């Protein structure tokens, strides 16, 4: 892999050391391709959790990651949606139970720091995967290869670049791919907390006129909270003293988990939607938030990123021995990801719009949709199935199989 101290040659270079980049590096390396992972500078502390859907857990299992973090994850056996809008047309409470689909759980919720540690630990043991802790500074793309220049002076030549370098992706810019972007009038406060009552493996999403307020189980009597409100309200909540914040969370959660003891660490995220106009071009495929950013509603963001990573691995496995960065491979990846990303983005956007809307028909539409889901078993089961395993995206890893 190493040519001389200043330059390296490989088949695939993955740029970005977030969860999507680590998944992509492991997934691509699982095809046998010689892979270099350029991780960038260490990311800031992240107190978020990820609700990993069942397909994502299948992928982590095949890649040998899940055994080392399974104990730090809590199963999500039921999901409740409660209309807390106090509007004229309120939706009935809807409950989805995994056992209705014959599943143990819809997915598992894990703190990102535990997931990252397990991914990193596994990546260190894979022979055909080298890690470079440096920033990508520039990317040159030509007909036969891509050349990545690192901040430290090294260059890496590869047939394919997997851009997992986040929202401000320099690899995406080098490939000439634009993004469509829309800011939401909302922000999210994230924190983890202990509570007096057991969560019973049930995740509860209160729909409020400012956005969802979602409690997701963690192991023991702990849960993670994502509270979506206006940016001003998020800032106010973030600045509250410990006891005042605990009281505010207990009030907003209608005391369903009893006495609340929040952790001290609090996260703040402005929300919006970003979608790349293409998911691959000129030897660069986009993965994770370099390709799509969606608000934290319905736990979709990183699950989409994991499906991106699994799809890249399938494209690489199918194209090995040929040019894995060819225009044909780029078109194939773009086609394989479009329906999944577009449908998830639209669903999350629509749900959020109907929450924020003061227009009665929009509220009625959401209420009717949730009413039908609560009453019509086959519709509810189809909705749940689509939520955990979208028909538009079934890469091998998501099905619990090696890439191919
Ligand atoms: C409040 C909140 C809650 C969420 N909850 C969920 C959930 O429950 N389930 C779910 O599926 N998703 C969830 N998400 C979405 C999920 O967190 C994101 O999809 C995920 O973190 C994105 O990972 P990423 O690796 O694509 O991006 P990032 O984590 O941003 O990683 C990008 C990486 O690239 C590196 N980088 C940048 N530039 C360079 C460079 N030039 N060279 C080298 N490296 C570079 C950065 O240092 C960083 O490490 C949530 C999001 C929010 C905001």
């Amino acid at each position: 892999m190493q040519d001389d101290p200043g330059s390296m040659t490989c088949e695939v270079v993955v740029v970005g050391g977030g969860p999507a980049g680590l998944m992509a590096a492991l997934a691509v390396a699982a095809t046998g391709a010689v892979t270099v992972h350029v991780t960038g500078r260490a990311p800031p502390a992240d107190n978020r959790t990820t609700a990993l859907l069942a397909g994502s857990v299948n992928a982590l299992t095949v890649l040998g990651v899940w055994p080392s973090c399974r104990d730090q994850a809590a199963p999500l056996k039921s999901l409740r949606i409660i209309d807390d809008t106090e509007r004229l047309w309120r939706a009935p409470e809807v409950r989805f139970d995994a056992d209705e689909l014959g599943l143990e759980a819809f997915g598992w919720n894990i703190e990102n720091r535990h997931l990252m540690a397990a991914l990193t630990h596994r990546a260190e043991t894979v022979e055909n995967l080298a890690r470079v802790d440096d920033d990508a500074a520039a990317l040159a793309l030509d007909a036969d290869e891509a050349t990545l220049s690192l901040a430290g002076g090294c260059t890496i030549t590869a047939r394919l670049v997997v851009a997992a370098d986040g929202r401000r992706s320099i690899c995406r810019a080098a490939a000439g791919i634009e993004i469509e972007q829309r800011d939401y009038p909302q922000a999210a406060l994230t924190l983890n907390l202990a509570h007096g009552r057991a969560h019973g493996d049930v995740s509860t999403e209160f729909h409020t006129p400012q956005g969802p307020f979602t409690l997701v189980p963690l192991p023991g009597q702990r849960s993670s909270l994502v509270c979506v409100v206006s940016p001003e309200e998020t800032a106010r909540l973030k600045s509250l003293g410990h006891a005042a914040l605990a009281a505010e969370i207990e009030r907003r959660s209608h005391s369903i988990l009893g006495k609340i003891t929040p952790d001290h660490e609090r996260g703040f995220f402005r929300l919006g939607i970003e979608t790349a106009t293409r998911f691959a071009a000129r030897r660069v495929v986009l993965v994770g938030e370099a390709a799509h950013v969606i608000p934290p509603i319905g736990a979709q963001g990183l699950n989409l990123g994991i499906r991106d990573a699994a799809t890249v691995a399938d494209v690489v496995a199918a194209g090995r021995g040929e040019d894995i960065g060819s225009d044909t491979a780029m078109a194939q990846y773009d086609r394989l990801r479009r329906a999944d990303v577009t449908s998830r983005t639209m669903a999350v956007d629509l749900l959020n719009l109907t929450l924020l809307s003061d227009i009665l028909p929009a509220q009625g539409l959401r209420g009717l949709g949730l009413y039908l889901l609560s009453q019509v078993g086959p519709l509810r089961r189809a909705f749940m199935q689509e939520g955990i395993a979208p028909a538009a995206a079934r890469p091998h890893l998501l099905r619990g199989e090696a890439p191919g």
Side-chain angles (χ1 to χ4, degrees), residues 16-20 40-41 48-51 135-136 164-165 190 288-289 296 301-303:
R41 64 189 83 86
R48 282 177 297 175
T49 68
T50 297
D135 274 334
D165 49 345
T190 59
E289 291 203 336
L302 183 57
N303 285 287

Side-chain angles (χ1 to χ4, degrees), residues 262-281:
D263 290 358
H264 286 281
E265 201 184 336
R266 302 172 192 180
F268 176 90
F269 298 86
R270 286 302 298 255
L271 302 186
I273 280 193
E274 292 179 20
T275 313
T277 51
R278 277 180 295 164
F279 298 124

Side-chain angles (χ1 to χ4, degrees), residues 9-13 144-147 156-161 283:
T9 301
C10 59
E11 292 176 81
V12 183
V13 60
D144 301 321
E145 60 187 22
T147 306
I156 300 171
T157 305
R159 301 287 262 183
L160 177 68
V161 180
R283 298 191 176 276

Side-chain angles (χ1 to χ4, degrees), residues 148-219:
L148 189 72
S149 304
L150 304 186
C154 178
T155 58
I156 300 171
T157 305
R159 301 287 262 183
L160 177 68
V161 180
V162 177
D165 49 345
R167 298 174 77 148
R168 307 284 158 257
S169 168
I170 65 157
C171 299
R172 183 182 66 207
I177 301 176
E178 310 273 327
I179 51 161
E180 286 165 359
Q181 177 179 12
R182 187 152 41 85
D183 291 333
Y184 275 26
Q186 290 156 299
L189 172 75
T190 59
L191 55 84
N192 301 326
L193 46 88
H195 37 78
R197 288 196 202 126
H199 48 55
D201 303 327
V202 180
S203 172
T204 306
E205 188 163 302
F206 292 93
H207 284 182
T208 84
Q210 289 202 315
F213 174 96
T214 310
L215 290 157
V216 191
L218 285 170

